[in-house]
Amino acid sequence: MKQEIRDQFRQAMRRMAATVSVITTCQEGENFGMTASAVTSLSMDPPSLLVCVNKSAGFHDVITSTDHFCVNILRHGQEDISAVFGGKLPHSERFSTGSWSFDGTVPYLKESQAAIFCRRAGIFEHGTHSIIVGEAVDLIIGHPVMPLIYSDGRYSTVA
């Protein structure tokens, strides 16, 4: 593919607003997490979603080898959590930012917009990424609705 097309595609995707989430899991007693904006609903029956993770990310091997994970949808004002899980801190220090709890399987952010607990239902590979299908097994819904949005390199929210 021409470099020009890749550059234009990157610019086009910067114009697509996305809700910011932190994907979390636990492997052998150690918590792991990563900021993601490539998360989308897939199906209502069964309730499921997609999470896209770059194969070069340190989180990739963890998420593709665990059976459960949580999608923590961030709310406006949680930009610091997004930055920490986006790589500002090493994974061993990330859970020191925010108020985290553990459901017995995976860590979740207590003040998130929503926490969607998932069982991994499938993995598909495409190009540089793996597409992980998560089937919702439990949810915690926060109020009011004020998701953290990322677009063109900046955070915002919707009222």
Side-chain angles (χ1 to χ4, degrees), residues 12-21 35-40 73-74 82 147-158:
M13 292 298 98
R14 287 180 66 95
R15 286 150 175 80
M16 184 180 291
T19 303
V20 181
S21 298
T35 298
S37 57
V39 176
T40 191
I73 301 172
L74 299 187
S82 175
L148 182 62
I149 306 295
Y150 192 76
S151 177
D152 197 24
R154 293 185 304 267
Y155 294 108
S156 63
T157 191
V158 292

Side-chain angles (χ1 to χ4, degrees), residues 40-52:
T40 191
S41 63
L42 173 63
S43 171
M44 291 302 290
D45 191 17
S48 50
L49 50 76
L50 301 176
V51 176
C52 301

